[in-house]
């Protein structure tokens, strides 16, 4: 992790929403390795502990704080002032290997603090893991080879006018490789709309992008119950951001449930929707149908598709929806 800002924008937007509305709420973040990789007989756990100790030394710098205040105005300056005092606390992190050798991590704190650990842990885990398994990446024999693959994708997106954003921090091969990707996008892409990484957005003068994650609706379910989570989660988001950061994630408790409790007011205030699971065409058509029920022109809204896309699939989706909705 290169900086406190070396994380996704939605971590700060969500942390600030907790900070403003639920400053006393506490929450536990737990890392789950879905691959269940066995690290017994390696130094992986020690490497993670050392890396997180280095992360705990990071502080928000004065120039970083000033950049955020100027370039992310919908998050108030009092949040950035508080972030200047924040640090990742080693004594609140628990790291161990379970009986199967699978890495485990937990942190409990006020939720506006514990929320910030997510990408720090995911990005660090990914980078250290890749040092151990890099032989699986032999197809990227050199960074030059990887650059050529990237440039072909950029050229395809340019030719087919595919708008996309970069949000690879949590699964990056390394911070060095991610920076190479972002630098190349900045130089050669005509359709990249920005990056979720606040640090690189600042460094390369790009738009920092993101809204809220699944955790926001999960928090509301824990407090208010599942049936009201989507509605109250949106109401609180609107209360904090007043129409800014208006892309809503629809699938925490199924897209059908989200669209059923979506109100006309909320639909008008939202700029768009993010689809992260299910069939892209089916979900997109459901969103368009719901907007039409509210007499809202779908062409005035955007759908962000983020479920394991490649450029070919992104182009197919763009062609399918045509001018019915922005994608």
């Amino acid at each position: 992790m290169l900086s406190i800002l070396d994380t996704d924008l939605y971590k700060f937007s969500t942390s600030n929403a907790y900070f403003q509305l639920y400053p006393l709420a506490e929450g536990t973040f737990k890392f789950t390795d879905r691959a269940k990789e066995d690290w017994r007989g390696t130094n992986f756990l020690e490497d993670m502990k050392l890396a997180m100790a280095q992360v705990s030394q990071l502080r928000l710098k004065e120039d970083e704080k000033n950049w955020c205040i100027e370039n992310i105005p919908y998050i108030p300056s009092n949040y950035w002032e508080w972030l200047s005092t924040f640090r990742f606390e080693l004594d609140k992190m628990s790291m161990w290997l379970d009986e199967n050798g699978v890495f485990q991590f937990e942190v409990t704190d006020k939720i506006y603090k514990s929320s910030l650990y997510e990408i720090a842990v995911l990005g660090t885990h990914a980078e250290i893991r890749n040092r151990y398994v890099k032989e699986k990446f032999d197809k990227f024999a050199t960074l030059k080879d990887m650059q050529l693959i990237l440039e072909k994708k950029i050229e395809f997106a340019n030719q087919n006018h595919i708008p996309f954003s970069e949000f690879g921090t949590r699964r990056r091969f390394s911070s060095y490789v991610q920076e190479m990707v972002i630098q190349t996008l900045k130089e050669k892409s005509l359709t990249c709309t920005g990056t979720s990484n606040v640090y690189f957005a600042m460094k390369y003068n790009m738009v920092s992008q993101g809204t809220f994650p699944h955790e926001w609706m999960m928090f509301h379910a824990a407090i208010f119950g599942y049936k009201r989570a989507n509605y109250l989660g949106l109401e609180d988001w609107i209360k904090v951001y007043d129409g800014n950061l208006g892309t809503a994630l629809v699938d925490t408790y199924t897209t059908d449930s989200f669209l059923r409790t979506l109100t006309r007011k909320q639909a008008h205030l939202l700029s768009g929707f993010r689809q992260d699971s299910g069939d892209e065409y089916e979900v997109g058509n459901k969103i368009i149908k719901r907007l039409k029920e509210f007499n809202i022109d779908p062409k005035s809204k955007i759908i962000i598709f983020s479920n394991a896309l490649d450029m070919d699939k992104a182009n197919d989706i763009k062609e399918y929806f045509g001018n019915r909705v922005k994608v």
Side-chain angles (χ1 to χ4, degrees):
M1 196 173 181
L2 304 171
S3 159
I4 285 281
L5 299 184
D6 185 14
T7 191
D8 288 337
L9 173 65
Y10 80 68
K11 287 284 82 179
F12 295 129
S13 59
T14 308
S15 170
N16 171 63
Y18 294 135
F19 184 78
Q20 303 296 339
L21 298 182
Y22 300 99
L24 300 181
E26 295 190 354
T28 297
F29 272 70
K30 175 177 170 56
F31 174 86
T32 300
D33 180 359
R34 291 185 288 191
K36 294 181 168 47
E37 291 179 302
D38 184 350
W39 295 109
R40 286 174 293 188
T42 74
N43 292 322
F44 182 85
L45 179 60
E46 290 72 23
D47 289 345
M48 277 296 299
K49 288 181 176 179
L50 177 61
M52 293 310 296
Q54 294 169 343
V55 168
S56 73
Q57 301 300 310
L58 296 173
R59 302 290 186 275
L60 184 69
K61 299 175 183 177
E62 187 71 14
D63 61 328
E64 293 175 330
K65 180 188 75 175
N66 293 336
W67 185 89
C68 290
I69 290 173
E70 181 177 349
N71 292 275
I72 311 177
Y74 40 80
I75 297 179
S77 60
N78 71 327
Y79 177 80
W80 301 115
E81 292 289 350
W82 166 77
L83 194 66
S84 299
T85 71
F86 171 77
R87 64 184 179 88
F88 295 99
E89 297 182 58
L90 266 180
D91 59 356
K92 292 188 177 177
M93 306 181 206
S94 296
M95 288 174 270
W96 72 98
L97 299 183
D98 67 15
E99 65 276 10
N100 297 310
V102 179
F103 176 74
Q104 305 291 330
F105 177 97
E106 281 189 6
V107 60
T108 300
D109 205 337
K110 293 290 189 288
I111 199 165
Y112 67 87
K113 296 180 184 180
S114 60
S115 179
L116 295 174
Y117 286 75
E118 179 191 2
I119 306 302
V121 173
L122 287 171
T124 301
H125 179 278
E127 186 156 351
I128 292 177
R129 173 193 178 275
N130 288 335
R131 295 175 194 167
Y132 283 86
V133 300
K134 59 186 178 183
E135 68 273 6
K136 293 182 179 180
F137 294 85
D138 285 343
K139 63 180 178 179
F140 297 142
T142 66
L143 280 175
K144 184 177 180 181
D145 295 334
M146 191 172 179
Q147 187 91 12
L148 290 173
I149 293 170
L150 175 61
E151 289 179 5
K152 286 181 181 178
K153 294 181 179 183
I154 292 172
E155 183 180 3
F156 182 84
N158 287 343
Q159 291 176 347
N160 291 280
H161 311 289
I162 303 171
F164 67 94
S165 65
E166 188 282 329
F167 58 110
T169 301
R170 70 183 59 214
R171 298 186 178 92
R172 63 191 180 191
F173 185 82
S174 68
S175 55
Y176 178 81
V177 169
Q178 186 185 17
E179 182 163 10
M180 181 273 286
V181 169
I182 289 174
Q183 188 174 16
T184 306
L185 292 173
K186 175 68 176 179
E187 293 172 355
K188 300 190 176 183
S189 174
L190 303 177
T191 60
C192 179
T193 59
T195 174
S196 66
N197 188 295
V198 181
Y199 173 76
F200 287 128
M202 178 183 71
K203 185 171 182 178
Y204 290 99
N205 191 29
M206 297 172 74
V207 176
S208 182
Q209 295 185 314
T211 55
F212 65 81
H214 295 95
E215 78 172 81
W216 183 246
M217 296 310 193
M218 294 163 67
F219 169 81
H220 283 78
I223 302 300
F224 302 109
Y226 296 107
K227 289 185 178 181
R228 305 197 72 201
N230 285 321
Y231 170 76
L232 291 176
L234 277 186
E235 287 296 290
D236 274 350
W237 197 254
I238 290 167
K239 190 183 302 180
V240 174
Y241 291 111
D242 196 31
N244 289 305
L245 297 176
T247 302
L249 184 57
V250 300
D251 66 345
T252 308
Y253 297 113
T254 77
T255 299
D256 288 342
S257 174
F258 177 91
L259 293 175
R260 185 168 58 250
T261 60
L262 182 70
T263 67
R264 183 188 301 274
K265 179 194 78 171
Q266 292 170 343
H268 274 288
L269 285 172
L270 290 173
S271 57
F273 308 86
R274 180 160 78 91
Q275 178 268 351
D276 198 48
S277 63
D279 181 89
E280 288 78 10
Y281 309 100
E282 180 181 347
V283 171
N285 284 326
K286 285 180 178 180
I287 292 170
I288 290 171
K289 180 175 181 289
R290 187 63 168 147
L291 290 170
K292 288 181 176 179
E293 289 171 354
F294 289 137
N295 291 319
I296 296 173
D297 184 359
K299 292 192 291 292
S300 68
K301 305 294 182 181
I302 188 168
I303 304 177
I304 297 174
F305 297 92
S306 62
N307 185 25
L309 301 186
D310 56 28
M311 283 296 178
D312 288 327
K313 188 174 182 180
N315 190 51
D316 289 344
I317 291 168
K318 180 183 71 73
E319 294 296 322
Y320 175 82
F321 285 105
N323 63 0
R324 291 190 292 150
V325 67
K326 290 180 284 187
V327 299

